[in-house]
């Protein structure tokens, strides 16, 4: 391997590592603002983020919503969290009735 190619390879590896670390830092900071006993979910077309108590997971109405989310999206979520396929208004109305 020539020295020039080696330096290019090292530079590319360094950039890749920096991008990976940057993404992980962003994810960690997003997780850090979720209080203990809560989780983040993404709702609606714009994937607005809501932080909800985990106690909602055991409520029958919320479980129906989760079943719908599983049918619609499965468990592979591009946002890194649970995506719920309903409008923000519906989600807010539902969670308000659970509180």
């Amino acid at each position: 391997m020539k020295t020039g190619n080696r330096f290019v390879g090292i530079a590319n590896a360094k950039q890749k590592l920096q991008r990976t670390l940057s993404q992980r830092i962003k994810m960690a900071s997003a997780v850090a603002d979720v209080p203990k006993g809560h989780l983040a979910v993404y709702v609606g077309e714009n994937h607005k983020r809501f932080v909800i108590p985990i106690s909602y997971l055991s409520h029958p109405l919320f479980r129906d919503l989760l079943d719908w989310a599983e049918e619609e999206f499965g468990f592979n979520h591009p946002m890194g969290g649970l995506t719920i396929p309903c409008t923000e208004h519906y989600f807010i109305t539902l969670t308000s009735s659970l509180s």
Side-chain angles (χ1 to χ4, degrees):
M1 177 184 260
K2 292 184 179 180
T3 305
N5 288 338
R6 191 167 142 217
F7 288 125
V8 170
I10 291 171
N12 287 339
K14 183 178 176 184
Q15 287 175 344
K16 192 176 209 178
L17 179 62
Q18 286 174 334
R19 280 193 304 267
T20 301
L21 290 174
S22 173
Q23 290 169 347
R24 288 187 181 188
I25 289 169
K26 285 179 188 175
M27 288 176 68
S29 65
V31 171
D33 70 346
V34 177
K36 187 175 182 174
H38 291 72
L39 77 134
V41 296
Y42 298 91
V43 178
E45 280 185 28
N46 297 323
H47 299 284
K48 183 171 180 182
R49 185 173 183 260
F50 290 89
V51 177
I52 61 167
I54 58 172
S55 62
Y56 285 5
L57 298 176
S58 62
H59 194 283
L61 289 175
F62 199 82
R63 292 190 64 87
D64 288 343
L65 192 58
L66 291 177
D67 289 341
W68 182 24
E70 180 184 10
E71 289 174 18
E72 191 80 19
F73 293 103
F75 287 111
N76 185 12
H77 302 285
M79 300 293 293
L82 180 61
T83 303
I84 299 179
C86 66
T87 65
E88 291 176 29
H89 177 72
Y90 179 82
F91 183 80
I92 291 168
T93 301
L94 176 77
T95 55
S96 295
S97 69
L98 302 180
S99 299

